[in-house]
Amino acid sequence: MRVSVVIPTIRKFGLLEFELPSLANQTMNKGDYEIVLVDDYHGREGEVKDFCRDVGLRLRYTRSKPASWRTNAPIGNARNTGLILADGELVVFIDDFTWVPPRFLETHYNFWKDTGMCLIAPAKAVEEIYRYRGVELTDKERETYERWGDDGDMGRYEMDNCPGGWLYTCNASAPLEKIVEVNGFWEIADCTREEDVLMGLALERAGVRFAFRKDPNATVQHLKHDLPHLDHVPGKYKKIDYEDLGWQEGRWQDRDVKGLIGPGKCGLDTPEDYIQLITRDVFDTQFPGSWALIERFKDNPDLRFNEEIGFDLGEMRRRRMEKAIRGEAMRW
């Protein structure tokens, strides 16, 4: 298997309207890639499987494994779930709400094979409510796409051996072997939504090289998240008042910290200043927030992601393969 496309999603719209159709329209042979869909919008499994069967897409379908770290936005956890199931040499990460061009997978894979570097490419925001017909764009959509494509600003950022911290999971790829080596996404980083940046830094430390390219064949279109018709799972994200967070003190690595026990949550709707305090307190760092995680990573060259929560991606993959030999499926 050449490529595994890992897609986490919680939203109703887009998957069957244009994302999977665009992945079915690839120039790469369908036997050379698979879609690993971590779908937490319940109730459409049959419809998704029927579509993929009808168009000949290889599909691995699952829901997220239980989150091991407290967060209200467990996106790293979802992608780690997909990585347990993935079998491709190269993993391509995209978000939901995403349309990809026909040579998208071929471009990511061939770039890696030809240069030894992994590709990071643009994701262009499409902010109008567009209607897709199969994988064909309307005149207005195509006009928008071409206008963005002619924008020279992004081209100035093209770079070989660009920093690993540039990795963002709306359009990037990396070899599965190296992802397993760094033990997947650091799920603690779900707290600050920087799990992709830290993954890039870890892969860079493991010897992976990246390049940013403004290539129309690798550029995706990504719908704006807060459009009214793009429903996500009801109740998935909840507004949490400061007084209701419920954080309690606890012991972690022989220190008193907050945020590890109690009924509180942390995620998209937790007050930003409180996330800053939690991350600095947990990791005993100089800087708060995302910088606390980056500081801890930089100051600990032997740091292995997810040791704090007991998650081992390699072991989970071995367990999955053993179950497959016995004809069993992984259950979360």
Side-chain angles (χ1 to χ4, degrees):
M1 182 71 62
R2 291 186 173 187
V3 173
S4 294
V5 186
V6 173
I7 308 171
T9 180
I10 60 170
R11 294 176 174 85
K12 177 181 180 180
F13 179 78
L15 187 66
L16 289 164
E17 287 78 7
F18 55 85
E19 185 156 18
L20 288 177
S22 70
L23 286 165
N25 195 40
Q26 294 297 295
T27 53
M28 179 175 280
N29 187 297
K30 285 189 173 65
D32 289 335
Y33 67 97
E34 64 179 0
I35 311 301
V36 184
L37 184 64
V38 186
D39 186 5
D40 290 319
Y41 192 93
H42 301 167
R44 62 181 172 192
E45 179 176 356
E47 189 176 6
V48 169
K49 288 182 174 179
D50 287 346
F51 173 84
C52 290
R53 183 191 63 244
D54 292 344
V55 299
L57 278 177
R58 291 172 176 256
L59 174 70
R60 295 184 183 274
Y61 185 96
T62 185
R63 297 177 182 175
S64 291
K65 66 182 180 64
S68 302
W69 184 258
R70 175 169 294 153
T71 175
N72 203 28
I75 190 67
N77 176 71
R79 290 195 176 97
N80 279 344
T81 304
L83 292 169
I84 294 170
L85 303 179
D87 281 333
E89 300 172 66
L90 188 74
V91 179
V92 175
F93 296 104
I94 59 175
D95 288 343
D96 54 8
F97 295 171
T98 301
W99 177 91
V100 303
R103 293 180 59 188
F104 177 71
L105 296 182
E106 175 187 322
T107 302
H108 267 274
Y109 184 79
N110 288 345
F111 186 86
W112 174 55
K113 284 296 186 181
D114 292 343
T115 69
M117 291 182 288
C118 295
L119 185 61
I120 304 170
K124 298 180 178 180
V126 181
E127 298 189 359
E128 299 294 330
I129 300 177
Y130 292 139
R131 297 299 179 186
Y132 286 75
R133 298 177 177 88
V135 296
E136 293 297 323
L137 299 176
T138 66
D139 290 341
K140 185 175 182 181
E141 291 163 349
R142 190 170 300 282
E143 178 186 350
T144 301
Y145 181 76
E146 291 172 354
R147 183 172 69 250
W148 278 75
D150 290 337
D151 186 345
D153 287 344
M154 198 172 294
R156 64 181 174 171
Y157 297 113
E158 288 193 327
M159 182 188 296
D160 287 342
N161 296 309
C162 70
W166 284 19
L167 186 143
Y168 60 154
T169 41
C170 56
N171 188 1
S173 55
L176 179 59
E177 179 183 15
K178 288 295 185 179
I179 293 173
V180 174
E181 181 180 325
V182 304
N183 205 29
F185 288 87
W186 199 11
E187 294 184 22
I188 286 178
D190 284 348
C191 183
T192 62
R193 302 302 303 273
E194 299 290 349
E195 76 290 338
D196 47 2
V197 170
L198 283 150
M199 167 66 88
L201 294 175
L203 289 170
E204 184 178 48
R205 180 179 281 180
V208 177
R209 295 184 300 143
F210 295 97
F212 186 89
R213 284 288 187 275
K214 183 188 174 185
D215 184 339
N217 291 313
T219 298
V220 306
Q221 291 196 55
H222 190 282
L223 293 186
K224 189 177 177 182
H225 278 214
D226 58 355
L227 296 175
H229 71 302
L230 304 181
D231 299 329
H232 57 64
V233 178
K236 183 72 174 181
Y237 298 139
K238 299 178 180 179
K239 295 290 184 182
I240 302 172
D241 294 331
Y242 186 91
E243 294 77 10
D244 297 331
L245 282 168
W247 295 105
Q248 298 175 13
E249 292 188 359
R251 296 288 294 178
W252 189 72
Q253 294 192 354
D254 297 323
R255 291 189 293 109
D256 291 323
V257 299
K258 296 176 182 175
L260 297 181
I261 61 175
K265 290 183 178 294
C266 186
L268 289 177
D269 299 308
T270 302
E272 184 176 352
D273 60 338
Y274 207 61
I275 289 181
Q276 310 299 306
L277 297 175
I278 293 166
T279 51
R280 184 173 58 190
D281 188 20
V282 167
F283 292 109
D284 193 24
T285 55
Q286 177 182 357
F287 298 103
S290 299
W291 291 108
L293 304 179
I294 294 173
E295 179 184 343
R296 180 169 174 81
F297 175 82
K298 290 291 190 180
D299 291 345
N300 292 271
D302 298 324
L303 176 70
R304 179 173 169 78
F305 286 172
N306 300 311
E307 282 188 336
E308 309 93 338
I309 61 175
F311 173 74
D312 189 313
L313 178 58
E315 177 59 31
M316 292 293 286
R317 288 177 54 79
R318 285 190 292 273
R319 194 180 307 172
R320 187 263 292 182
M321 294 172 186
E322 290 172 357
K323 284 180 172 290
I325 292 173
R326 298 194 299 265
E328 302 173 4
M330 287 293 289
R331 305 292 182 190
W332 318 121

